[in-house]
């Protein structure tokens, strides 16, 4: 488990009084190097990432306002350092029990001072994740079997894995005997059948019924189809969400989130895929079966999220955007700004 040494100080200026929290991370050794399936050089990218949010239009008679923001994890794919949190009130970082996601939160009683502001900044060294055995279609190293959490085989609220989904999964994998071939067939079906298209309504929720019928959507819809068909066939699959890092400029804003997936086959381990990027960039289709590039930052894993401290509203479909409640009811008047700046990887 990651451990934090925390130091707090106050910074005053003409406009506001910010509470600034810095985190110094002490990483277990296994987080310092990422597992590789081959000897090819591992690509990496280092950026300074900032995530600002402002909860506005809180009713004057509100008794309590609560706010939650995803907090980036340390793992074999990314190393987080130099974390700083600025806020109007004290914040805390907690871990939810189902997926192990870390969550930055705060609560304000009688929130007469508006708006409530939080600014998270950190440096991240993101590494390419590539399963060379999956890319080549055969294991190249011995893989130690992993104990798989039951959650990676279960349905989500918007992703049933029985009925029509099971029928589609069986049809998609018909004649494919091995788990690896089944995963590849599901990937090919998802990339070939869906179109990256954010027009109209219904897209972006990860609703597998919508995605399969409309045959279009964004990354959430693509990976819901991939994960749902895998789980329907009894293949563990997991959902990750965060932000893509632009590659055309050294710094700037990030407009929206991005998500991706992995499927588990015992003799290959976890196989990373990015179905929506493969559809948008056909020349990268082979690469994105078995790889996640270094141009991304993970913020959370899984769907149907119960936060910590728990929200009073429904579980969150996924957790990458700020979430707030006022007197126990969801409050969607939240402005956000996400930015990045390239740093040297040396």
């Amino acid at each position: 488990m990651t451990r934090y040494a925390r130091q707090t100080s106050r910074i005053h200026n003409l406009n506001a009084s910010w509470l600034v929290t810095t985190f110094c991370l002490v990483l277990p050794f296994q987080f310092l190097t990422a597992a590789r399936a081959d000897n090819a050089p591992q690509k990496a990218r280092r950026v300074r990432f900032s995530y600002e949010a402002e909860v506005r239009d809180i009713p004057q008679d509100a008794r309590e306002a609560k706010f939650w923001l995803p907090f980036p994890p340390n793992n074999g794919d990314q190393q987080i350092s130099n974390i700083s949190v600025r806020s109007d009130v004290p914040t805390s970082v907690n871990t939810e029990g189902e997926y192990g996601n870390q969550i930055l939160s705060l609560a304000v009683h009688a929130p007469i001072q508006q708006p409530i502001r939080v600014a998270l900044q950190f440096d991240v060294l993101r590494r390419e994740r590539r399963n060379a055995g999956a890319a080549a279609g055969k294991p190249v190293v011995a893989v130690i079997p992993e104990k798989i959490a039951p959650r990676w085989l279960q349905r989500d609220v918007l992703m049933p894995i029985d009925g029509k989904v099971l029928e589609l999964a069986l049809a998609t994998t018909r004649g494919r005997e091995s788990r690896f071939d089944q995963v590849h067939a599901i990937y090919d079906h998802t990339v070939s059948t869906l179109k990256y298209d954010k027009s109209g309504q219904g897209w972006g929720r990860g609703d597998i019924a919508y995605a399969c019928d409309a045959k279009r959507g964004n990354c959430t819809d693509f990976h819901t189809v991939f994960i749902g068909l895998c789980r329907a066939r009894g293949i563990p699959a997991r959902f990750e969400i965060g932000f893509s890092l632009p590659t055309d400029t050294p710094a700037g804003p990030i407009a929206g989130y991005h998500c991706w997936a992995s499927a588990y086959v015992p003799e290959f381990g976890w196989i990373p895929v990015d179905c929506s990027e493969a559809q948008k960039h056909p020349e990268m289709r082979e690469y994105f079966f078995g790889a996640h590039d270094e141009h991304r930052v993970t913020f959370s894993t899984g769907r149907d999220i119960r936060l910590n401290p728990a929200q009073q509203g429904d579980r969150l479909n996924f957790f990458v955007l700020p979430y707030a409640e006022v007197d126990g009811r969801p409050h969607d008047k939240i402005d956000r700004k996400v930015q990045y700046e390239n740093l040297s990887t040396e």
Side-chain angles (χ1 to χ4, degrees):
M1 180 178 295
T2 303
R3 301 182 295 280
Y4 298 93
R6 191 168 74 175
Q7 181 180 4
T8 304
S9 62
R10 290 186 182 274
I11 294 180
H12 297 271
N13 59 35
L14 294 176
N15 299 316
S17 176
W18 288 90
L19 188 65
V20 180
T21 304
T22 58
F23 294 88
C24 178
L25 277 73
V26 182
L27 297 179
F29 177 78
Q30 63 266 30
F31 286 143
L32 301 182
T33 57
R36 296 287 293 160
D38 64 0
N39 294 320
Q42 185 181 36
K43 299 176 183 178
R45 183 173 178 185
R46 186 166 176 258
V47 303
R48 179 155 294 152
F49 197 99
S50 64
Y51 197 158
E52 300 179 18
E54 182 176 284
V55 184
R56 56 179 174 80
D57 297 343
I58 300 174
Q60 291 291 332
D61 60 349
R63 297 183 302 274
E64 183 180 54
K66 293 183 177 181
F67 174 85
W68 295 262
L69 189 73
F71 196 81
N74 275 285
N75 52 41
D77 299 329
Q78 62 186 36
Q79 182 177 342
I80 308 296
S81 61
N82 300 326
I83 300 175
S84 174
V85 177
R86 294 184 299 162
S87 63
D88 294 312
V89 298
T91 62
S92 63
V93 176
N94 299 286
T95 302
E96 55 85 20
E98 187 169 26
Y99 300 105
N101 292 314
Q102 297 180 114
I103 300 161
L104 176 72
S105 65
L106 60 83
V108 181
H109 299 281
I112 58 175
Q113 293 183 345
Q114 301 181 53
I116 299 172
R117 299 162 302 164
V118 177
L120 168 65
Q121 181 177 285
F122 57 89
D123 295 346
V124 54
L125 176 63
R126 180 71 192 199
R127 302 177 178 91
E128 176 191 31
R129 182 170 184 248
R130 188 171 61 185
N131 186 322
K138 58 182 180 180
V140 295
V141 295
V143 176
I144 300 175
E146 182 176 333
K147 184 178 180 181
I148 299 300
R151 188 65 183 86
W152 304 128
L153 285 163
Q154 298 168 0
R155 63 166 292 160
D156 295 320
V157 170
L158 293 177
M159 191 194 72
I161 55 176
D162 56 2
K164 291 184 178 179
V165 176
L166 176 57
E167 292 176 6
L168 179 59
L170 292 171
T172 301
T173 59
R174 185 172 293 119
R176 307 297 182 98
E177 298 297 328
S178 74
R179 287 303 201 197
F180 174 81
D181 288 342
Q182 291 170 5
V183 171
H184 210 311
I186 291 170
Y187 173 82
D188 287 338
H189 168 85
T190 305
V191 175
S192 298
T193 304
L194 272 67
K195 179 182 179 182
Y196 193 89
D197 180 356
K198 298 192 293 185
S199 63
Q201 296 181 341
W203 62 270
R205 300 177 63 232
D207 182 338
I208 196 168
Y210 165 84
C212 289
D213 289 344
K215 293 181 173 55
R216 63 184 181 88
N218 74 344
C219 57
T220 317
D221 306 302
F222 273 76
H223 294 111
T224 296
V225 172
F226 175 82
I227 292 170
L229 297 184
C230 283
R231 291 185 187 177
R233 291 294 279 123
I235 301 169
R238 64 188 180 197
F239 174 90
E240 295 178 76
I241 193 165
F243 295 91
S244 288
L245 300 171
T247 59
D248 55 347
T249 57
I254 299 176
Y257 64 82
H258 183 49
C259 64
W260 47 94
S262 300
Y264 183 79
V265 176
E267 61 269 31
F268 288 85
W270 284 101
I271 301 173
V273 303
D274 194 327
C275 301
S276 56
E277 286 299 294
Q279 200 279 324
K280 291 164 62 178
H281 304 283
E283 74 281 4
M284 300 289 287
R285 180 167 174 160
E286 290 188 12
Y287 173 81
F288 281 120
F289 181 83
H292 292 150
D293 62 33
E294 69 277 19
H295 306 300
R296 62 191 69 209
V297 179
T298 302
F299 269 80
S300 70
T301 301
R303 297 180 62 181
D304 302 339
I305 306 290
R306 178 63 65 189
L307 302 170
N308 183 16
Q311 73 272 34
Q312 293 187 43
D314 295 337
R315 287 175 175 262
L316 301 187
N317 186 13
F318 44 80
F319 188 41
V320 68
L321 303 179
Y323 176 74
E325 290 183 346
V326 175
D327 295 334
R329 294 185 295 273
H331 182 82
D332 61 2
K333 301 298 190 294
I334 307 175
D335 296 326
R336 61 184 173 89
K337 182 169 68 173
V338 182
Q339 296 180 297
Y340 77 99
E341 177 187 356
N342 284 346
L343 301 174
S344 171
T345 56
E346 295 182 0

